[in-house]
């Protein structure tokens, strides 16, 4: 979080907000959030988002406009990325985002921008604001099968609990960070550390977390996780059973048994249905753990940073027994992890003891293919927030109608132009991938809470029927005129659906 203080930049007077109250000695009281900073001339408030410029309350960051370009008259592609020359933008290709738009508090005041535009013959309205979210957090997906810490274990930053380990997903460990309890329900320090961690994660910055009973991880949206100082490279190809299913045919004829080591489901080829369908002879090698179904074993070891997310560093330790009535001298045995990073080839000697041996090329090729089929390991940060509170009053005087309209898919919700997933059920609980949002989308206020852009786009007739603030509707052309030369213009990311295309990308 940046410190408030003397302005180190200039702010155009047209960014002056409709709100804020002048007090004596040139002081302006900012009323854009509950902190109600008294800001001296030439200085910024506690969040650095608002400043006192010549007695006016001013939003310090430019509003972000996003523009798409046309290459063949039909298909829209990214804005060329060249610096904006300040000329009037084409309204048919421009979207006003909530980034830098400003906040209203308390929320019965209309949103900073309520923009009307015509799209494919339909009059539309986009309500644009920066929401202050006390109910928010991030879900972090970390593509690794390494055990980062026990489920439900506290996740800490600088010693403060900011979240917990939640249910692992397929090939990924998951963290839940933030949320109202950590922002408001603990000590002041816990709330501030949580808010700071959220702001950094949402802004694409690295954050080092530690997990009680587990490991240290550096998490950064769109970057590989770094576990105990070691960057992760591969996301596993699948669980042990799935790896058997994928590669069984390629192993058949080259090896007599394959054990794919995995913390969740370790696979044993000749027992597995895949091996049976290929008429593979039983090898008589029993692994440790609890047998689930043929060739699929749970809990073969403890979780850890070793082979396949277990604590195993010597795969031979997984063998419980070798049945002399079934196994035979010369039996070719392969152990591999689910990423192919760890592999060991053995041959049983005359006493049926596995002896490590050079891996034949045909088998090495399949192990390499496991690695080739692994996707790069990344961290994904998804912002999740509740927009079903007083924020709605800046959109309409009858908020429940907005909630219902969003639930029915009549009103599109975007965050900085990025599509939001809206949870079914009550409220407006949204999720968005932070990497699809413009840089600098997020801010904070010291209540503490996270500030994030949000836009609601809907047909104008519906907006009025919802009880929208009709008197505050401004044409897009007028917004573009008012912000010409001051707004930040960004290219529209082609992978984001155009918010005014109703019915697309919901
Ligand atoms: S912390 Fe709140 S009151 Fe203070 S400048 Fe920021 S938005 Fe305004």
């Amino acid at each position: 979080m940046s410190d408030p203080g003397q302005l180190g930049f200039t702010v155009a007077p047209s960014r002056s907000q409709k709100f804020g109250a002048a007090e004596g000695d040139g002081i302006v009281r900012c009323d854009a959030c509950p902190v109600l900073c008294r800001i001296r001339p030439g200085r910024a408030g506690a969040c650095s988002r608002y400043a006192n410029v010549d007695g006016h309350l001013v939003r310090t960051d430019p509003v972000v406009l996003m523009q798409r370009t046309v290459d063949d008259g039909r298909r829209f592609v990214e804005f060329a990325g060249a610096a904006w020359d300040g000329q009037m933008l084409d309204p048919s290709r421009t979207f006003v985002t909530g980034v830098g738009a400003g906040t209203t508090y308390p929320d019965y005041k209309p949103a900073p921008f309520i923009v009307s535009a015509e799209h494919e013959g339909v009059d539309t309205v986009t309500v644009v604001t920066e929401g202050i979210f006390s109910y928010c957090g991030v879900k972090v997906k970390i593509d690794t099968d390494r055990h980062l810490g026990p489920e439900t274990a506290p996740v800490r930053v600088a010693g403060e609990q900011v979240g917990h380990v939640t249910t692992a997903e397929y090939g990924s460990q998951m963290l839940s960070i933030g949320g109202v309890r950590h922002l408001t329900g603990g000590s002041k320090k816990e709330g501030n550390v949580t808010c700071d961690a959220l702001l950094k994660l949402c802004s694409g910055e690295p954050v080092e977390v530690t997990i009680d009973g587990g490991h240290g991880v550096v998490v950064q949206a769109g970057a590989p996780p770094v576990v105990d100082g070691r960057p992760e490279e591969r996301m596993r190809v699948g669980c042990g059973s799935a790896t058997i299913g994928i590669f069984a045919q390629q192993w058949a004829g080259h090896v007599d048994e394959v054990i794919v080591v995995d913390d969740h489901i370790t696979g044993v080829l000749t027992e597995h249905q895949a091996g049976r369908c290929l008429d593979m002879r039983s090898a008589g090698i029993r692994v440790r753990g609890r047998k689930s179904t043929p060739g699929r074993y749970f809990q073969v070891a403890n979780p850890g940073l070793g082979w396949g997310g277990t604590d195993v560093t010597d795969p031979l330790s997984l063998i419980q027994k070798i049945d002399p009535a079934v196994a035979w001298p010369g039996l070719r045995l392969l152990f591999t992890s689910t990423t192919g990073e760890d592999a060991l080839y053995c041959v049983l000697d005359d006493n049926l003891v596995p002896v490590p041996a050079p891996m034949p090329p045909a088998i090495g090729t399949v192990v390499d293919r496991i690695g080739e089929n692994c996707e790069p390991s990344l961290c994904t940060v998804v912002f999740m927030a509740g927009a079903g509170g007083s924020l709605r009053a800046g959109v309409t005087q009858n908020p429940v109608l907005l909630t219902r309209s969003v639930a029915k898919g009549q009103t599109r919700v975007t965050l900085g132009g990025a599509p939001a997933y809206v949870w079914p059920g009550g409220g407006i609980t949204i999720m968005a991938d932070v990497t699809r949002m413009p840089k600098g989308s997020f801010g904070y206020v010291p209540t503490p809470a996270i500030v994030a852009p949000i836009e609601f786009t809907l047909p104008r007739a519906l907006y009025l029927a919802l009880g929208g603030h009709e008197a505050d509707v401004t044409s897009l052309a007028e917004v573009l005129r008012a912000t010409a030369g001051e707004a930040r213009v960004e290219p529209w990311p082609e992978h984001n659906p155009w918010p005014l295309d109703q019915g697309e990308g919901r």
Side-chain angles (χ1 to χ4, degrees):
M1 297 178 196
S2 52
D3 290 329
Q6 189 73 34
L7 292 178
F9 46 84
T10 56
V11 180
S14 65
R15 298 290 294 133
S16 175
Q17 297 293 298
K18 303 174 205 174
F19 309 110
E23 300 193 344
D25 297 331
I27 291 173
V28 172
R29 181 179 290 278
C30 176
D31 54 3
C33 94
V35 177
L36 299 174
C37 293
R38 296 177 74 246
I39 310 176
R40 297 192 170 279
R43 297 188 74 87
C47 67
S48 299
R49 297 169 53 249
Y50 285 90
N52 178 344
V53 177
D54 299 332
H56 296 285
L57 182 66
V58 167
R59 180 72 176 88
T60 52
D61 303 301
V63 66
V64 172
L65 308 176
M66 301 191 83
Q67 188 173 53
R68 57 183 186 174
T69 55
V70 183
D71 63 351
D72 61 2
R74 284 172 287 112
R75 181 170 164 268
F76 289 98
V77 298
E78 286 189 4
F79 181 63
W84 182 30
D85 59 8
Q87 296 297 307
M88 178 76 179
L89 299 169
D90 178 355
S92 70
R93 296 187 283 117
T94 308
F95 184 74
V96 182
T97 76
V99 183
T103 321
T104 54
Y105 182 81
D107 297 291
Y108 62 78
K109 297 170 184 172
F113 294 103
I114 303 178
V115 186
S116 69
E118 189 187 303
H119 180 71
E120 295 181 348
V122 178
D123 287 333
T124 65
V125 167
T126 301
V127 182
V128 178
T129 191
E130 285 178 303
I132 300 175
F133 294 101
S134 298
Y135 290 83
C136 74
V138 294
K139 306 299 177 215
V140 181
K141 174 173 161 286
I142 302 172
D143 300 334
T144 179
D145 56 1
R146 294 189 208 287
H147 177 74
L148 302 180
E151 199 167 294
T152 76
V155 173
R156 298 181 188 277
V157 171
E160 296 293 326
Q161 185 177 357
V162 299
H164 64 273
V165 178
T166 187
T167 316
E169 298 298 344
Y170 200 88
S172 307
Q173 309 297 320
M174 303 290 293
L175 307 181
S176 176
I177 295 179
V180 70
R181 190 173 74 79
H182 294 299
L183 283 169
T184 71
S187 67
K188 187 173 181 182
K189 187 177 175 200
E190 178 179 331
N192 288 340
V193 171
T194 300
C195 188
D196 189 45
L198 288 177
L199 181 58
K200 285 182 173 144
L201 287 169
C202 290
S203 302
E205 296 176 30
V207 172
E208 184 164 8
V209 303
T210 55
I211 297 169
D212 287 8
H215 300 273
V217 191
V218 178
V219 176
Q220 181 175 17
V226 180
V227 182
D228 285 351
R230 181 180 152 193
E232 188 66 291
E233 291 178 6
R234 298 181 192 175
M235 180 180 185
R236 71 179 188 176
V237 70
C239 69
S241 174
T243 306
I244 292 278
I246 295 169
F247 296 103
Q249 199 161 31
Q250 298 176 46
W251 277 315
H254 299 292
V255 66
D256 300 307
E257 184 63 287
V258 179
I259 297 171
V260 182
V261 183
D262 176 32
D263 179 38
H264 305 132
I265 308 171
T266 286
V268 180
L269 176 59
T270 62
E271 291 181 37
H272 194 278
Q273 186 66 7
R276 294 196 176 177
C277 287
L278 292 166
D279 293 326
M280 291 192 73
R281 176 181 168 188
S282 292
I285 299 174
R286 174 70 159 88
V287 299
R288 298 184 188 284
R290 179 161 68 82
K291 185 172 180 175
S292 160
T293 53
R296 300 169 73 255
Y297 289 83
F298 300 161
Q299 301 154 26
V300 296
N302 293 316
L305 300 183
W307 285 49
T310 69
D311 62 351
V312 167
T313 52
D314 174 12
L316 294 173
S317 66
L318 292 175
I319 296 177
Q320 189 173 59
K321 67 172 185 182
I322 297 177
D323 185 349
V326 181
W328 62 96
L331 186 153
R332 301 161 298 174
L333 169 63
L334 172 70
F335 292 92
T336 179
S337 67
T338 47
T339 58
E341 286 168 306
D342 296 300
L344 178 70
Y345 177 75
C346 300
V347 177
L348 299 199
D349 67 10
D350 290 344
N351 297 315
L352 301 181
V353 175
V355 178
M359 190 174 299
I363 299 172
T365 298
V366 184
V367 172
D368 290 345
R369 190 162 293 163
I370 294 175
E372 186 186 331
N373 275 269
C374 293
E375 293 171 82
S377 177
L378 291 177
C379 300
T380 310
V381 175
V382 172
F383 178 66
M384 183 164 175
S390 61
L391 179 152
R392 295 173 299 168
V395 181
T396 164
Q397 297 175 42
N398 198 356
V400 72
L401 296 183
L402 175 67
T403 307
R404 290 176 189 156
S405 161
V406 169
K408 286 181 193 161
Q410 298 166 327
T411 295
R412 170 167 291 183
V413 185
T414 50
L415 277 76
Y421 174 78
V422 180
W423 277 75
I428 304 176
T429 303
I430 48 174
M431 297 197 301
D433 176 354
V434 301
T435 62
R436 297 177 75 169
M437 299 169 66
K439 287 229 171 307
S441 283
F442 290 87
Y444 83 103
V445 291
T447 52
I450 289 293
V451 178
I454 186 164
E455 306 94 25
F456 298 91
T457 300
L458 66 168
R460 183 183 179 119
L462 176 61
Y463 182 62
L464 300 184
L466 298 185
H469 301 287
E470 184 173 11
D472 291 271
V473 176
T474 313
S475 73
L476 177 53
E478 181 52 41
V479 172
L480 298 183
R481 256 191 300 278
T483 58
E486 296 169 12
R488 193 174 108 209
V489 180
E490 295 248 325
W492 182 261
E494 197 179 3
H495 53 269
N496 282 350
W498 188 242
L500 279 75
D501 286 339
Q502 297 295 312
E504 180 193 311
R506 289 182 183 286

